[in-house]
Amino acid sequence: MDDNPYEILLEEVPFGPVVARNRFFQVPHCNGMGYRDVRAHAEMRAVKAEGGWAVVCTEQAEVHYTSEISPFIEVRLWDDADIPALALITERVHDHGALAGIELAYNGMNGPNLTSRTAPMGPAHLPIAGFTDDPVQARAMTLRDIANLRRWHRQAVRRSLNAGFDLVYVYGGHALGAVHHFLSPRYNQRTDAYGGSVQNRMRLLRELLLDTVEEADGAAAVGCRITVEELIGDSGISRDDIEAVLGELGEIPDLWDFVMGSWEDDSVTSRFGEEGGQEQYVAGLKALTSKPVVGVGRFTSPDTMARMVRQGVIDFIGAARPSIADPFLPVKVAEGRAEEIRECIGCNICVSGDFTMSPIRCTQNPSMGEEWRRGWHPEVYRPRHADESVLVVGGGPAGLEAAMSLGKRGYPVVLVEESRRLGGRVADEARLPGLSAWIRVLDYRHAQLERLEQVDFYLESPMTADEALASASEYGFAHIAVATGSTWRRDGVGRWHTQPPPLGDLPVLSPDDLMAGKRPNEKKVVVFDDDHYYMGGVLAEMLAGEGFEVELVTPGAMVSSWTVNTMEQRRITARLLDVGVALHCSTAVVGTHGEGVRTACAYTGKEGMIACDAAVFVTARLPEDSLAQELLTRRQEWPGAGLKSVAAIGDALAPGTIAAAVWAGRRYAEEIEAPTDDADATPFQRELTAID
Ligand code: ADP
Ligand code: SF4
């Protein structure tokens, strides 16, 4: 009986020589582990396969040493020596019944070749077009270079087969490789057979596809990932171009995977793009090929997914971020547990792993990147080791995650929250412009807590040290986790000022004040952003939207400069300019007086002033750790109360990102029997280079 409304998502889909067990397709995604953290990477992919994804792909794989994009860390397939690391991935993916895909990329003018020190190659003599402005130019490829590239790509296909991949991609997406650069008139101004008309610009793609099909020879399916709209008008890949490509090449590969624009355009955060935002660009293209089509769109709603398939927009639900936030999304849909999906919030903290060359992390899924090195799993928890119960104080991300994870381990938990609602900072920040999806951090955990019989939570229950000790004694709590959060400073101390600057009569508000509903009395406001992540920019946007005249002052060279790592920085700047916020970069607020703020150039120290009626300081936070501190100083009372441990976690220990708070909650629950804070030994496995 068909009683699963999402049955259509569970249908098998054959493509080329393989059959996908359902329509859930983990598209290639970077992870900051790549060739360096081999086992961690393999285990991360394995958990996706275990979670029911039919196809699990690597990120882009560098096909040759002349095509590397250091400092970024992706997988490599330069020569046979790289095969074992990739074979480990296919082996672990196959262990769980999924197909393994590899995205072969000749990065060309996308990478500076900092390791190989060879000149990158592209369609033209142009500065490299990557994420870093390295002083490196790509050289225009000769016909001989193109022949070399085709041979190298073939060799990579052969190596992919040897590594056990079931799907081999030709990558033409995101402006991240030669195929895209040749296809796009933005980069390709050649006058030979590879430039000019769209037929010429797609020649390299055609050749690579035919080579790949021939080399794969039915041993693996061949896919093509391609940007279907570059979003830069006539100077880029247009709809007409892509229709021509599909008209001519549509039947060559076994599968098409459509993306849009650059990676920055394709992986838009929820602050700047809705779920399914690519639909308008992908719609209609499936009709141009008989081959199955993959599409992405930060899909977390099975209703949207099923509709996209029913309406013939796509055949496969492509997912990077939804598969990171919930590797078990397909299993949950299949088992009729869709309401248990841990929905991606669209924050792009996962993307920051790639940009910071550090192992992938996720706000919603603290086990992401920890599968191998710490043995964490997104769904399976080690049973408790002791017959003890835990008091968690504070219902923000850290407290919620700790209570939930402890509950899943089987510990009886009581969570107390002083305010009238759970969520802590997430409940506040989700009300800021564009951040509403962040409430999913609370929603998921709240729903899980409701299901856990051994976890109780109490609102409007502020906890003092006396009460905590009394309740430990009365209810037998052996452990207390203090997750009481943090408070934004008003004194200007942060990165720029490590001592308070001189402040005069000007009213100063903090982000907490604004989130609590306070507003400046008059119209002119200076926001001093010395935090450099999203908060300064989003508050400036909010105030401007409410009619305030806002000037944003930051010592950073760019506004919200860290958001380069979440691929939002340009959009944030554009939005602030659009809503009329005046931007003063490379400038610090060095003091206030009755009429405004005093400023100084971050380079020369030259002073200035900006007249305003109030300032908002977004600089740093202080932990709300008084409860933890008092409990720790009253250690002699613990035995009498039956208490064994007290720990501050999350922002109450050290203010950080929401992702860090969630992770801290999970870590607390994982390590409650044996905390590693004071350990001499590294408490996680790491990949070491073998020295023979
Ligand atoms: P984190 O990000 O570390 O989880 P948050 O600031 O988001 O921190 O959440 C902290 C939560 O703790 C807030 O909801 C706050 O109301 C609550 N809280 C703070 N102090 C106490 C206390 N003494 N008793 C109970 N709850 C508290
Ligand atoms: Fe989604 Fe944020 Fe997790 Fe990335 S880090 S998968 S955007 S919740």
Side-chain angles (χ1 to χ4, degrees), residues 321-322 324-325 343-350 361-364:
R321 291 172 290 177
I324 294 168
E343 292 183 293
C344 167
I345 71 166
C347 62
N348 279 5
I349 280 291
C350 50
R361 62 206 66 211
C362 169
T363 300
Q364 277 284 60

Side-chain angles (χ1 to χ4, degrees), residues 390-445:
V390 188
L391 173 66
V392 176
V393 184
L400 287 168
E401 178 70 18
M404 183 193 76
S405 300
L406 288 164
K408 290 189 176 192
R409 290 198 59 196
Y411 281 98
V413 181
V414 171
L415 184 152
V416 292
E417 162 57 46
E418 73 178 354
S419 74
R420 301 168 76 169
R421 46 110 180 100
L422 292 175
R425 61 183 287 194
V426 160
D428 292 328
E429 293 181 26
R431 294 205 309 270
L432 297 173
L435 303 188
S436 59
W438 292 21
I439 202 65
R440 293 170 172 182
V441 173
L442 166 63
D443 289 346
Y444 168 72
R445 288 165 183 83

Side-chain angles (χ1 to χ4, degrees), residues 496-549:
W496 193 261
H497 302 285
T498 52
Q499 302 286 333
L503 300 181
D505 292 337
L506 193 75
V508 171
L509 290 95
S510 73
D512 291 322
D513 294 330
L514 292 181
M515 286 189 281
K518 285 191 197 147
R519 291 294 181 267
N521 291 332
E522 308 286 340
K523 285 289 166 210
K524 279 180 75 71
V525 188
V526 163
V527 174
F528 176 44
D529 182 7
D530 194 24
D531 171 62
H532 307 282
Y533 191 16
Y534 57 89
M535 187 57 82
V538 85
L539 291 178
E541 178 187 340
M542 180 186 81
L543 291 170
E546 292 176 4
F548 290 93
E549 289 171 36

Side-chain angles (χ1 to χ4, degrees), residues 393-400 416-419 421-426 461-464 483-486 621 624 627 649-652 657-658 661:
V393 184
L400 287 168
V416 292
E417 162 57 46
E418 73 178 354
S419 74
R421 46 110 180 100
L422 292 175
R425 61 183 287 194
V426 160
S461 306
M463 182 68 64
T464 63
T484 44
S486 61
R621 288 173 283 159
E624 281 294 338
L627 173 61
I649 61 170
D651 291 330
T657 60
I658 297 168

